[in-house]
Amino acid sequence: MAIWTTSSSSFFSPPSDTSDLLRSLLRLSREISLPDDPKPFPRRHFCSISRRSKLFTVLFEELLRDGVASGQLPSSATLCFCEIFLVLNRLKSLLADCSNRSRTRLLLQADLVAGDLHEISIDLATLLDILPVRNLGVGDDVVDLVDLARRQCRRSSAVIDPAEQALRSEILGLIREIEREIVPERSRLQSIFVRLGLDDSRSCGDEIERLESEIGEKAAEKWTAEMIALVGLVRYAKCVLFGESIPRGAESSDGKFNSSGADPAAPPDFRCPISLDLMRDPVVVASGQTYDRESITQWLRSGHATCPKSGQTLTHLDVVPNKALRNLILLWCRENNVQLEGSDPGEGETNAANENKAALEAARMTASFLVEKLAASPSTEATNRVVHELRLLAKSGSNNRAFVAEAGAVPLLIPLLYSTDPSLQLNAVTALLNLSILEANKRRIMHADGGLDAVVHVMGESATWQARENAAAAVLSLSAVHSYRRKLGRDPRVVQRLVAMVRSGPASAKKDALAAILVLAAERENISRLVEEGVVTAAMGCLEVAAEAAAVVAAVAKRGGAEAVAAEEGAVTRLVGVMRRGSETARESAVAALVVICRRVGGAAVAGLAAVPGIEWVIWELMGTGTDRARRKAAALGRICRRWAAAVEADRTARVSALSIAAATAVS
């Protein structure tokens, strides 16, 4: 009969065969005594449990080697071994869980872990008390080792080592000092991080990733505030003590990485159309489009009432969390080992991070340190590492973006956009893109000497398409401000570079350029410039490649370019083709464009539409399967066609009647 029950025990079932049971116990004791990844805290407790497991190993090896297990063990011994099997599995699970924890979280929770290990040790001591070891037929030396293991388990303590208590107190004290804006001394930081076992840039980076994951998963809610502060502290110490990490672009064969720092193969639907970053908190607006909450909130707060992607006027400004997409993004991140930075969906944790004084001050210190180092960087390689670190810091959180810009990064980054080193240029333009997401930084970039010129240069002259794409994304971000959208639209270089990307770039470049053009097309006075530079021709040429192309055509037609669209050879036929085979968004944009063209150009456009084979079926199908807006537009297009057909029929009838009258008059 079991001495105790635990919820975890139900997951493990001891083997019924005695030999199998002993072999399983031997395997478990070996795994525990020889861990692949020694746990840092509480170090003394982990070392003790490992040594005791080695003593168990001797017992199980002896029983299997001498063939004792082939005979009949006493029933009390079998029962004890079954219970030991369950306890060792509990211990193995605890060790596995601790292996996945960050070092700093383990230190913060050292008392709790030590308590769990102490409870397991006492359970083992109780089982060894009742194990009839002298009836197992093993040697006296083995009996003595089992007794030693029992006494050691019984002497177990739940109190952690005083040195670990002191280290934890020192770290918490350091956090409180940072809250008071006291910059830590380098020697003190170095001492703490040596004791933590964080001794290089890579280990610090791994620690940051684990902490951010644990914060998002609410793994230790009691310590959430301290863990948020520790992310900032570890990031600061990483830069101060170990220098900047090597840019991943420098390690890959093609030198490409995206603005979010995530896997470059991330599905396009997982990236926010505004920031092009992997969406952390996707939300749906009234038009049905999905954006990252932070990006669309800034767009709406800027006074916009339109959908950035489709150009559609929003019937309301409420947003709804897209939980299904969020779950898909999290699943993709887990499967591809991609860390999704940022807090859990919703405002609660974001506010917690923003209100964490220590985290904010640590981020400010990190930004200031990096910008000062950038100003004094002696070589291209050193500069590239600093810029890469700034890019990473600016990719998440409005406060980080503000701190980096306030420290003076923008005027230092702009000249680097002319660098002949592809990796440095890419890091610099991506850092500017990430900074531009913050409203205040848009002004800093647009008003900086040569800021716009540098972005235009990258769009047209960069050696990598990824840099060009991120420059186009920066134009998209800057265009969120009404006055800047006009300024960018009036600049022929901006439009020419974007059109060139649409015409000759890869699919991802086409999408980024079209997204920027779409925002520029939201301004009526920009339409003539867009038409003049060939936007309509370029967009029509990739209708089947990017849904954004149909949105651009619809936006241009709506704001005064309907005649230019209608004049494009085969425009009506191509748009009908998108209505047939395009994505949901593209079909909606295509039918909206056709409605505007037919209304503003008139009979010639409607005649061309009516001449397309099967147009009635296409309209009818979209009325039944499209989005709400697509259904309304399809119904409107159907009415236009019917009215035109009725007018043509009436005109034909009138002509026939007139001819008949004329003929009758001639005969008479």
Side-chain angles (χ1 to χ4, degrees), residues 277-308:
D277 200 355
L278 196 62
M279 287 188 279
R280 300 170 179 83
D281 186 7
V283 294
V284 181
V285 297
S287 65
Q289 298 292 336
T290 298
Y291 301 92
D292 196 43
R293 182 186 294 273
E294 182 180 7
S295 299
I296 193 62
T297 298
Q298 290 182 5
W299 171 268
L300 297 175
R301 285 176 180 171
S302 301
H304 300 94
T306 57
C307 172

Side-chain angles (χ1 to χ4, degrees), residues 41-42 44-46 94 98 106 109-121 156-161 164:
F41 308 110
R44 178 168 57 82
H45 290 75
F46 282 125
L94 176 60
C98 290
L106 268 178
Q109 294 185 311
D111 291 318
L112 181 62
V113 176
D116 291 340
L117 291 171
H118 171 67
E119 180 183 343
I120 289 173
S121 294
S156 170
S157 169
V159 180
I160 66 172
D161 189 278
E164 293 174 357

Side-chain angles (χ1 to χ4, degrees), residues 239-537:
C239 295
V240 172
L241 297 178
F242 311 116
E244 301 73 35
S245 55
I246 297 175
R248 284 198 295 174
E251 297 171 346
S252 63
S253 59
D254 58 5
K256 290 187 178 182
F257 50 86
N258 67 25
S259 61
S260 69
D263 190 305
D269 290 342
F270 292 177
R271 296 167 62 190
C272 175
I274 296 176
S275 68
L276 302 182
D277 200 355
L278 196 62
M279 287 188 279
R280 300 170 179 83
D281 186 7
V283 294
V284 181
V285 297
S287 65
Q289 298 292 336
T290 298
Y291 301 92
D292 196 43
R293 182 186 294 273
E294 182 180 7
S295 299
I296 193 62
T297 298
Q298 290 182 5
W299 171 268
L300 297 175
R301 285 176 180 171
S302 301
H304 300 94
T306 57
C307 172
K309 189 171 183 180
S310 68
Q312 178 185 351
T313 300
L314 300 176
T315 56
H316 59 80
L317 302 183
D318 298 331
V319 297
V320 179
N322 192 335
K323 294 182 179 179
L325 180 58
R326 165 73 181 181
N327 291 334
L328 288 174
I329 292 173
L330 289 174
L331 177 62
W332 179 87
C333 288
R334 284 194 295 269
E335 290 177 348
N336 292 275
N337 195 29
V338 171
Q339 175 62 37
L340 181 63
E341 294 196 6
S343 61
D344 205 45
E347 298 292 338
E349 286 192 26
T350 301
N351 291 335
N354 290 340
E355 294 170 4
N356 190 299
K357 177 69 172 174
L360 291 176
E361 288 306 320
R364 192 193 305 276
M365 292 175 187
T366 305
S368 297
F369 175 82
L370 289 171
V371 172
E372 289 175 8
K373 194 165 184 179
L374 176 61
S377 292
S379 66
T380 298
E381 181 182 357
T383 300
N384 193 25
R385 292 194 177 200
V386 176
V387 173
H388 175 256
E389 207 67 45
L390 284 170
R391 177 184 70 84
L392 295 179
L393 184 61
K395 78 177 180 179
S396 62
S398 297
N399 287 313
N400 289 348
R401 297 180 184 114
F403 296 151
V404 171
E406 288 167 1
V410 171
L412 295 175
L413 289 170
I414 287 172
L416 301 179
L417 270 60
Y418 293 96
S419 173
T420 56
D421 182 278
S423 179
L424 176 55
Q425 185 188 56
L426 179 53
N427 272 309
V429 73
T430 308
L432 274 181
L433 165 60
N434 291 339
L435 289 173
S436 73
I437 296 172
L438 184 66
E439 194 74 15
N441 290 345
K442 299 184 196 301
R443 185 179 185 280
R444 289 187 172 98
I445 295 170
M446 290 295 291
H447 290 261
D449 289 341
L452 180 56
D453 293 340
V455 173
V456 171
H457 169 78
V458 175
M459 281 198 297
E461 307 295 335
S462 176
T464 66
W465 276 109
Q466 188 63 45
R468 297 189 187 195
E469 292 168 21
N470 289 351
V475 170
L476 168 64
S477 178
L478 295 169
S479 299
V481 178
H482 183 72
S483 59
Y484 298 157
R485 186 161 64 242
R486 289 184 174 181
K487 180 178 180 180
L488 291 165
R490 286 195 299 266
D491 192 325
R493 302 170 305 161
V494 173
V495 180
Q496 288 167 5
R497 298 291 194 274
L498 291 173
V499 170
M501 289 176 65
V502 174
R503 284 175 172 160
S504 60
S508 57
K510 292 180 188 295
K511 289 177 179 290
D512 292 336
L514 285 166
I517 291 171
L518 180 60
V519 177
L520 296 179
E523 199 67 42
R524 181 175 291 273
E525 70 177 49
N526 289 341
I527 298 301
S528 59
R529 169 71 65 185
L530 295 175
V531 171
E532 180 183 330
E533 298 297 341
V535 162
V536 175
T537 302

Side-chain angles (χ1 to χ4, degrees), residues 26-184:
L26 177 60
R27 184 182 66 254
L28 276 171
S29 60
R30 283 176 174 170
E31 290 174 354
I32 294 168
S33 64
L34 298 172
D36 295 331
D37 180 23
K39 315 304 176 294
F41 308 110
R43 186 175 290 108
R44 178 168 57 82
H45 290 75
F46 282 125
C47 291
S48 295
I49 206 75
S50 176
R51 287 192 295 267
R52 292 165 199 160
S53 295
K54 291 179 182 177
L55 299 178
F56 291 129
T57 300
V58 175
L59 171 62
F60 302 137
E61 286 177 340
E62 183 78 5
L63 290 174
L64 288 168
R65 181 172 55 248
D66 294 347
V68 175
S70 60
Q72 185 66 34
L73 287 176
S75 59
S76 58
T78 302
L79 178 60
C80 282
F81 286 142
C82 287
E83 293 292 339
I84 290 173
F85 175 86
L86 297 176
V87 175
L88 291 182
N89 267 301
R90 285 170 52 204
L91 176 57
K92 180 182 176 182
S93 296
L94 176 60
L95 295 177
D97 178 57
C98 290
S99 294
N100 294 323
R101 298 186 194 183
S102 62
R103 287 174 173 263
T104 44
R105 177 188 164 200
L106 268 178
L107 181 61
L108 293 174
Q109 294 185 311
D111 291 318
L112 181 62
V113 176
D116 291 340
L117 291 171
H118 171 67
E119 180 183 343
I120 289 173
S121 294
I122 295 303
D123 289 343
L124 287 171
T126 302
L127 287 169
L128 293 177
D129 281 340
I130 61 176
L131 177 68
V133 65
R134 295 191 178 277
N135 297 335
L136 298 179
V138 296
D140 290 341
D141 56 338
V142 177
V143 173
D144 291 341
L145 287 176
V146 173
D147 184 58
L148 174 63
R150 178 188 61 78
R151 285 185 282 112
Q152 288 183 350
C153 288
R154 185 65 65 187
R155 288 200 303 267
S156 170
S157 169
V159 180
I160 66 172
D161 189 278
E164 293 174 357
Q165 292 180 353
L167 177 58
R168 182 172 60 187
S169 298
E170 190 172 357
I171 290 174
L172 294 176
L174 188 62
I175 290 174
R176 288 191 291 271
E177 290 178 12
I178 292 174
E179 289 175 349
R180 299 196 299 272
E181 303 181 21
I182 300 174
V183 179

